[in-house]
Amino acid sequence: DAGAELPRALELLAYGELRSGRHVRARAHAEEGVRAALAAGQRNVLAHQHAVLALVASLDRDVDTVARHAAAAQHVADRHGLVQAATLAQWALARADLARGDAARAAARLGPLIGRGPRRGHFGIRMLAVPCLVEAAVLAGEPGGAQGAVGEFTVWAQRGHDPLAPAQLARCRALLAAGDPATAESRFEESLTRHERAGGDFERARTLALYGKWLRRTRRPARARTLLRDALVAFERCGATVWAAQAAAELRATGESPVDSEPPGRLAELTPQQLRIARCVAQGETNREVARRLSVSPRTVDHHLRNVFDRLGIRSRVELARLVDRTEP
């Protein structure tokens, strides 16, 4: 019946949106899919939905949230041999490691999934995760561990199945050519050109951030600042608040403080997404109206709003409106 098919349909939708880089929609489908799978008793589908939620959470949530969803996916995946869900869960954990600057741990998670051996993950997900492995390996000072994966990823990019792959491949080659400045710069520029054709704000922002970091370390701070500003805006636009914080830190390292993007007073304690929701609510919008405006689910708005109240130490929408009015006249 239709009720039995709904969880699987939502799983496919969530994966499709995830692959296309539409993370907000992926989260909305996965959250709805969790409820549908629980109601239908479909534990395998539930594992896949938690894996998607873990990966999306690696953009804008704390490590504990990523770990909770990844553990829920891994628990069922281990019992039932769900390689795709298990691979996604480990990729999510690795991406969370990268977001907080722990490249060595990220490389250690991804190496067994992507390299040779019996523990290799699901092929399609492995290919999506290769750019993460390359980034982690290079930042950890162990680029040799990623060379084989790039060879396989080159074949994947040439097949044309993934529109983002050529841009990501050029980025990988730039990172691996760090000892050859001319080649590295050429590959980074190629990656940005390909991103313009392929779209995908999050992956483009990652290229901008890595290119900016490389330029800063090769002592070209002016060009680095331009790219890092663009990366910061792009991360904020796609709700990748954890990565936006990393880009802001790199921007400060160039000698520029991104103070213009920081809200005043107590509102500075909020993430960019929480701040957007707080401002909408302060203007009198309902949770459903905010959800429509920001293209998220009402449950997501409710979750963020509870966190806003906790961070600011307030209890009502009226108090929030007064606080926003006082700090942002």
Side-chain angles (χ1 to χ4, degrees), residues 110-116 119-121 126-127 129-130 133 149 152:
L110 291 172
L113 297 177
I114 294 173
R116 294 192 176 100
R119 296 175 58 198
R120 298 179 89 190
R126 278 196 293 114
M127 291 301 96
V130 164
L133 171 65
E152 194 174 15

Side-chain angles (χ1 to χ4, degrees), residues 35-55:
R35 294 191 292 274
L38 282 170
Q42 297 181 13
R43 293 183 59 81
N44 287 8
V45 174
L46 182 63
H48 285 277
Q49 301 289 20
H50 275 297
V52 172
L53 288 172
L55 198 55

Side-chain angles (χ1 to χ4, degrees), residues 208-225 227-228 246-256:
L208 286 165
L210 288 166
Y211 191 7
K213 179 185 290 189
W214 180 79
L215 285 168
R216 179 180 71 78
R217 293 181 178 180
T218 55
R219 300 183 180 179
R220 283 181 281 176
R223 173 66 171 148
R225 278 194 287 271
L227 295 175
L228 289 167
Q246 192 179 90
E250 280 292 328
L251 189 54
R252 284 191 290 271
T254 69
E256 176 177 319

Side-chain angles (χ1 to χ4, degrees), residues 252-265:
R252 284 191 290 271
T254 69
E256 176 177 319
S257 179
V259 292
D260 291 343
S261 65
E262 296 179 359

Side-chain angles (χ1 to χ4, degrees), residues 50-318:
H50 275 297
V52 172
L53 288 172
L55 198 55
V56 176
S58 67
L59 273 72
D60 66 346
R61 303 294 172 91
D62 57 76
V63 176
D64 290 342
T65 301
V66 180
R68 176 167 53 83
H69 285 301
Q74 195 77 50
H75 176 71
V76 179
D78 289 344
R79 289 186 173 188
H80 299 276
L82 306 178
V83 179
Q84 184 175 353
T87 307
L88 268 178
Q90 289 303 310
W91 180 22
L93 291 168
R95 202 156 78 173
D97 290 333
L98 266 179
R100 60 194 179 96
D102 194 344
R105 184 182 291 254
R109 289 190 197 278
L110 291 172
L113 297 177
I114 294 173
R116 294 192 176 100
R119 296 175 58 198
R120 298 179 89 190
H122 183 278
F123 175 78
I125 305 303
R126 278 196 293 114
M127 291 301 96
L128 296 178
V130 164
C132 270
L133 171 65
V134 174
E135 180 179 343
V138 169
L139 294 180
E142 300 175 353
Q147 294 283 2
V150 171
E152 194 174 15
F153 191 69
T154 300
V155 176
W156 170 255
Q158 290 171 345
R159 290 179 180 176
H161 299 315
D162 184 350
L164 286 175
Q168 291 174 309
L169 176 60
R171 182 176 77 206
C172 290
R173 288 173 170 166
L175 290 170
L176 291 171
D180 181 350
T183 299
E185 186 165 8
S186 174
R187 293 298 192 185
F188 272 126
E189 291 292 340
E190 176 192 348
S191 181
L192 290 179
T193 299
R194 291 183 179 278
H195 277 303
E196 291 300 325
R197 294 197 293 266
D201 276 350
F202 178 65
E203 288 300 325
R204 176 177 172 275
R206 288 178 74 181
T207 299
L208 286 165
L210 288 166
Y211 191 7
K213 179 185 290 189
W214 180 79
L215 285 168
R216 179 180 71 78
R217 293 181 178 180
T218 55
R219 300 183 180 179
R220 283 181 281 176
R223 173 66 171 148
R225 278 194 287 271
T226 299
L227 295 175
L228 289 167
R229 285 190 211 108
D230 289 347
L232 177 58
V233 170
F235 279 135
E236 290 182 342
R237 185 168 57 240
C238 62
T241 54
V242 180
W243 297 81
Q246 192 179 90
E250 280 292 328
L251 189 54
R252 284 191 290 271
T254 69
E256 176 177 319
S257 179
V259 292
D260 291 343
S261 65
E262 296 179 359
R266 292 167 63 194
L267 298 183
E269 300 174 21
L270 305 180
T271 67
Q273 181 75 325
Q274 288 172 346
L275 182 61
R276 283 190 284 270
I277 289 172
R279 285 168 172 161
C280 291
V281 170
Q283 293 170 4
E285 295 186 18
T286 66
N287 285 14
R288 191 167 294 279
E289 288 170 336
V290 176
R292 282 198 298 268
R293 177 195 287 260
L294 301 181
S295 299
V296 299
S297 71
R299 286 173 62 88
T300 297
V301 173
D302 182 65
H303 169 80
H304 280 303
L305 193 56
R306 286 198 303 271
N307 288 338
V308 167
F309 284 3
D310 287 343
R311 285 198 178 195
L312 299 180
I314 58 178
R315 297 183 179 180
S316 71
R317 302 166 87 93
V318 173

